């Protein structure tokens, strides 16, 4: 799972897949590995992201050297200040992401061993929905814009930010709330929850040959020239159209709601997978120094994408069912209630509301609604108790 996002991050905005004249898709994929603590999810995640971390460290060191040389000049020109190449970030704030993309328009991979903080960052009442909408636009590859105090506006025309990481089942269940579903954010997450049998010692490991081939493929993908478009061969187009019609027809059998949204986004994921898998097939066979040829995606890559994409959709829906994600998602008022003690004073509610950027007027409205619903009762003036 993490490997798919790492590969899509290496492609970045170098190439998009054209499905028809007015419809192109980027390589962006968001994947999350769902597993409890102690299930060795982090070592598996590390295998996938290690080459990108190494590339990021090398770019950091080169930037530090370049900055030192720039500062050593008699009169360094601010316009010539070196910028740092970025391949991975762990800072998921829109402001940080836009800043990175401004200097690295090719794109950047958001990789975090624990994604709970990212999902939980949208709980803020005032900015949460706006930040979620920003991320939805980034996933779509639509123009993303951010205004920063003192720095003006920054606009990224074709943002590409693949995401990958791990998360514990309980944390996912707690953090993924109603706001994530209402904005369409949740449907864009590809989830996988592998079985976690008791650990037993094994000498099995990833071979050096596989590591080398993986690193080589990533190098080729990272070094691809930008702003290319790949089409479909006639055979691949025929297979895509057949799959697209059949998948959309099956959507009619699903009721409106989160699971239907997941299935719908799964169709788009197939197109993106076709692009990622095809570029990997091509670049894994190339030798260093070979020219880049951005030919059309063929039927073999499309067939593989359909197979993988169907599995990913089924797996995501299985995680939804297993964890009750769609049925137990909490609304903002429920999340606020959860943070309140069993018995609290008005000043306690005000402090929690302020921490979550909830306007005071909204807080009092919520307290009234919770009393009317029987969830809260007023013990005496200024003191409440959960029922």
């Amino acid at each position: 799972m993490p490997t798919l996002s790492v590969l899509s991050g290496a492609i970045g905005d170098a190439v998009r897949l054209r499905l028809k004249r007015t419809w192109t898709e980027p390589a962006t994929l968001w994947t999350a590995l769902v597993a409890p603590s102690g299930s060795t999810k982090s070592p598996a995640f590390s295998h996938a992201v290690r080459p990108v971390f190494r590339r990021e460290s090398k770019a950091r060191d080169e930037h530090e050297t370049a900055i030192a040389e720039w500062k050593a000049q008699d009169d360094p020109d601010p316009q010539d200040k070196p910028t740092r190449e970025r391949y991975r970030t762990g800072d998921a704030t829109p402001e940080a992401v836009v800043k990175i993309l401004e200097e690295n328009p090719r794109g950047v991979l958001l990789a975090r061993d624990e994604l709970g903080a990212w999902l939980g960052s949208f709980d803020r009442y005032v900015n949460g929905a706006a930040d979620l909408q920003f991320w939805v636009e980034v996933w779509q590859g639509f123009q993303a814009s951010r205004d920063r105090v003192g720095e003006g506006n920054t606009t990224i025309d074709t943002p590409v930010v693949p995401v990958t990481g791990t998360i514990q089942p309980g944390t996912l269940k707690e953090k993924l709330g109603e706001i994530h579903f209402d904005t369409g954010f949740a449907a864009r997450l590809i989830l996988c929850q592998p079985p976690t049998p008791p650990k037993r010692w094994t000498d099995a490991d990833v071979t050096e040959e596989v590591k080398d081939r993986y690193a080589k493929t990533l190098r080729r993908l990272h070094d691809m020239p930008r702003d290319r478009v790949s089409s479909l061969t006639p055979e691949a187009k025929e297979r895509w159209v057949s799959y697209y019609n059949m998948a959309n027809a099956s959507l009619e059998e699903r009721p409106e709601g989160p699971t239907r949204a997941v299935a719908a986004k799964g169709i788009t994921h197939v197109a993106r997978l076709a692009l990622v898998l095809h570029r990997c097939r091509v670049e894994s066979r190339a030798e260093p120094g070979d020219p880049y040829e951005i030919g059309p995606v063929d039927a073999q890559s499309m067939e593989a994408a359909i197979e993988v994409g169907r599995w990913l959709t089924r797996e995501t829906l299985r995680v939804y069912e297993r964890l009750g994600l769609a049925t137990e998602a909490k609304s903002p008022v429920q999340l606020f209630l959860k943070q309140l003690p069993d018995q609290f004073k008005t000043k306690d509610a005000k402090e929690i509301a302020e921490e979550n950027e909830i306007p005071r007027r909204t807080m009092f409205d919520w307290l009234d609604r919770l009393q009317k619903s029987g969830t809260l009762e007023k013990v005496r003036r200024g003191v409440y108790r959960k029922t």
Side-chain angles (χ1 to χ4, degrees):
M1 286 283 285
T3 302
L4 291 174
S5 292
V6 171
L7 293 168
S8 72
I11 294 171
D13 81 335
V15 59
R16 296 173 69 100
L17 177 62
R18 187 182 300 282
L19 299 169
K20 60 181 180 181
R21 185 175 59 83
T22 57
W23 183 6
T24 63
E25 286 292 336
T28 303
L29 296 170
W30 291 355
T31 61
L33 184 62
V34 185
S37 177
S39 59
T40 66
K41 62 183 183 297
S42 295
F45 172 78
S46 178
H47 274 299
V49 300
R50 188 176 292 118
V52 182
F53 281 31
R54 287 174 179 163
R55 197 175 181 99
E56 176 77 8
S57 297
K58 181 181 178 183
R60 177 203 61 208
D61 294 342
E62 291 175 348
H63 178 253
E64 290 176 353
T65 300
I67 285 291
E69 293 174 352
W70 175 76
K71 289 181 176 179
Q73 299 177 23
D74 293 336
D75 186 19
D77 185 352
Q79 299 295 324
D80 293 333
K81 185 177 181 179
T83 58
R84 176 180 165 185
E85 290 187 337
R86 298 298 302 272
Y87 300 95
R88 174 260 174 181
T89 182
D91 191 337
T93 61
E95 290 75 17
V97 169
V98 165
K99 179 65 175 176
I100 292 172
L101 292 178
E102 182 182 21
E103 298 178 348
N104 297 267
R106 180 190 179 90
V108 65
L109 172 71
L110 172 59
R112 304 183 66 160
D113 189 21
E114 292 289 346
L115 287 174
W118 181 47
L119 295 179
S121 67
F122 307 118
D123 288 344
R124 301 291 182 185
Y125 183 76
V126 174
N127 296 322
D131 289 351
L132 278 171
Q133 189 57 45
F134 165 83
W135 280 104
V136 168
E137 291 171 355
V138 167
W139 181 90
Q140 293 169 326
F142 289 174
Q143 187 181 80
S145 181
R146 211 67 178 175
D147 294 304
R148 297 198 296 271
V149 177
E151 298 185 37
N153 174 270
T154 301
T155 299
I156 309 300
D157 290 329
T158 55
V160 177
V161 187
V163 177
T164 190
T166 69
I167 191 166
Q168 297 184 36
T171 304
L172 178 63
K173 195 172 180 179
E174 176 188 354
K175 299 296 185 182
L176 206 60
E178 189 177 81
I179 190 172
H180 299 88
F181 294 100
D182 288 348
T183 56
F185 173 92
R188 290 161 169 81
L189 286 172
I190 303 172
L191 305 176
C192 173
Q193 187 173 3
T196 52
K199 286 188 283 189
R200 296 179 62 86
W201 177 262
T202 173
D203 287 323
D205 205 343
V206 181
T207 67
E208 291 302 317
E209 179 187 3
V210 169
K211 289 180 182 178
D212 290 344
R213 291 184 63 189
Y214 180 47
K216 169 183 169 254
T217 301
L218 284 174
R219 281 195 298 271
R220 286 284 301 184
L221 293 174
H222 273 125
D223 294 339
M224 285 174 59
R226 293 181 55 217
D227 298 327
R228 307 294 183 91
V229 176
S230 183
S231 59
L232 296 172
T233 65
E235 296 78 12
K237 181 67 175 289
E238 181 180 358
R239 187 67 186 93
W240 162 253
V241 171
S242 174
Y243 161 76
Y244 180 86
N245 291 338
M246 183 172 60
N248 275 283
S250 68
L251 284 180
E252 300 303 315
E253 302 172 6
R254 293 183 177 275
E256 288 288 344
T259 57
R260 179 169 179 166
V262 167
K265 288 297 174 284
I267 300 172
T268 305
H269 286 145
V270 165
R272 298 183 177 197
L273 284 164
L275 175 61
V276 172
L277 297 180
H278 189 73
R279 292 318 313 166
C280 289
R281 285 180 55 218
V282 172
E283 303 310 333
S284 65
R285 295 194 298 260
E287 296 297 331
D290 283 356
Y292 287 93
E293 297 182 5
I294 311 298
V297 172
D298 61 23
Q300 182 179 347
S301 294
M302 180 58 71
E303 195 65 52
I306 291 171
E307 182 177 356
V308 174
R310 282 173 168 165
W311 186 91
L312 292 173
T313 298
R314 289 196 302 269
E315 176 64 8
T316 301
L317 291 172
R318 188 182 71 86
V319 175
Y320 268 54
E321 181 179 3
R322 185 170 186 174
L323 300 182
L325 295 181
T327 57
E328 300 178 25
K330 294 180 175 62
S331 65
V333 64
Q334 290 172 323
L335 291 171
F336 171 64
L337 176 65
K338 184 178 180 181
Q339 295 180 66
L340 295 170
D342 290 340
Q343 183 164 313
F344 60 92
K345 298 179 180 179
T346 304
K347 69 172 186 178
D348 301 321
K350 288 179 180 178
E351 290 175 0
I352 292 174
E354 186 175 341
E355 290 173 2
N356 290 275
E357 300 175 6
I358 299 170
R360 185 165 297 188
R361 182 176 177 179
T362 301
M363 180 207 74
F364 281 113
D365 177 58
W366 285 358
L367 291 177
D368 288 340
R369 286 166 53 187
L370 290 168
Q371 288 180 78
K372 291 176 181 178
S373 68
T375 308
L376 282 183
E377 65 177 3
K378 183 176 284 189
V379 179
R380 58 182 181 274
R381 183 179 176 83
V383 179
Y384 301 85
R385 180 170 54 219
K386 294 182 182 179
T387 58

